[in-house]
Amino acid sequence: MRRAVCPGSFDPVTNGHLDIVRRAASLFDEVVVAVGVNVSKSRLFTADERLSMLQQGIAGLGNVRVEGFSGLITTYCREADAVAIVKGLRSGTDFDYELQMAQMNAHLTGVETVFLPADPAYGFVSSSLVKEVASYGGDVSALLPDFVLGPLTEKLAQRAAE
Ligand code: ADP
């Protein structure tokens, strides 16, 4: 049984994330989507909201589950008995950052990192850019699952009113 972990903050989950999760699920026996719940970073959505949107996103994928994690992803992988971390690569910038991270993680516990090239349809999609564009009224509906659009619009409106 080979288990992989797809880690991230998923603030919120995008179609780009879900594409990577689906492809990881076709390569490994089991995939755990690990949602970072460290309190240090400022997030638009709470950990519970991010977890719940991902639960909806993986509906129908029988070998995928969603869990929160805090601390080092390497420790989480060891506890979850995962052999690999799966990451999507959108660009050379992603690669430079992810290569260093993968090498550090391998140094820490020997866990492997598997890189999947982003689907070109989502190569320009990041949660942060989607939030920024949506906050100015841009149409991001093709880049997010339907069940994220409503909550995103509401959150951004709440934040603008604060
Ligand atoms: P973080 O906030 O930890 O940087 P994200 O939650 O934004 O991470 O993304 C988690 C991981 O998902 C990224 O490290 C990347 O591997 C992958 N990813 C994010 N967006 C895309 C995308 N559009 N296409 C492919 N992979 C993506």
Side-chain angles (χ1 to χ4, degrees), residues 17 35 56 66-67 71 82 87 90 93 97 101-102 109 113 129 135-137 143 153 158 162:
H17 291 128
V35 182
Q56 296 178 70
V66 177
E67 276 185 9
K87 286 291 188 109
R90 290 163 289 195
T93 312
Y97 175 75
M101 192 61 77
T109 61
T113 299
L129 187 55
S135 74
Y136 292 108
L143 312 176
T153 311
Q158 266 173 29
E162 280 168 14

Side-chain angles (χ1 to χ4, degrees), residues 107-131:
H107 166 78
L108 290 174
T109 61
V111 68
E112 290 288 2
T113 299
V114 173
F115 293 129
L116 299 180
D119 181 326
Y122 304 125
F124 59 95
V125 178
S126 68
S127 299
S128 52
L129 187 55
V130 162
K131 285 183 285 193

Side-chain angles (χ1 to χ4, degrees), residues 30-43:
E30 207 176 289
V31 169
V32 185
V33 182
V35 182
V37 298
N38 286 346
V39 284
S40 56
K41 279 199 195 171
S42 70
R43 306 278 183 220

Side-chain angles (χ1 to χ4, degrees), residues 66-162:
V66 177
E67 276 185 9
F69 84 98
S70 59
L72 291 173
I73 191 62
T74 45
T75 308
Y76 178 82
C77 287
R78 200 163 44 195
E79 286 168 5
D81 196 20
V83 294
I85 295 170
V86 176
K87 286 291 188 109
L89 291 183
R90 290 163 289 195
S91 64
T93 312
D94 270 1
F95 178 75
D96 288 342
Y97 175 75
E98 295 293 352
L99 177 64
Q100 187 182 21
M101 192 61 77
Q103 289 169 333
M104 174 58 88
N105 289 338
H107 166 78
L108 290 174
T109 61
V111 68
E112 290 288 2
T113 299
V114 173
F115 293 129
L116 299 180
D119 181 326
Y122 304 125
F124 59 95
V125 178
S126 68
S127 299
S128 52
L129 187 55
V130 162
K131 285 183 285 193
E132 190 178 346
V133 168
S135 74
Y136 292 108
D139 180 3
V140 291
S141 57
L143 312 176
L144 299 168
D146 288 348
F147 51 80
V148 172
L149 273 175
L152 177 62
T153 311
E154 270 170 42
K155 277 275 179 187
L156 290 171
Q158 266 173 29
R159 202 175 59 176
E162 280 168 14

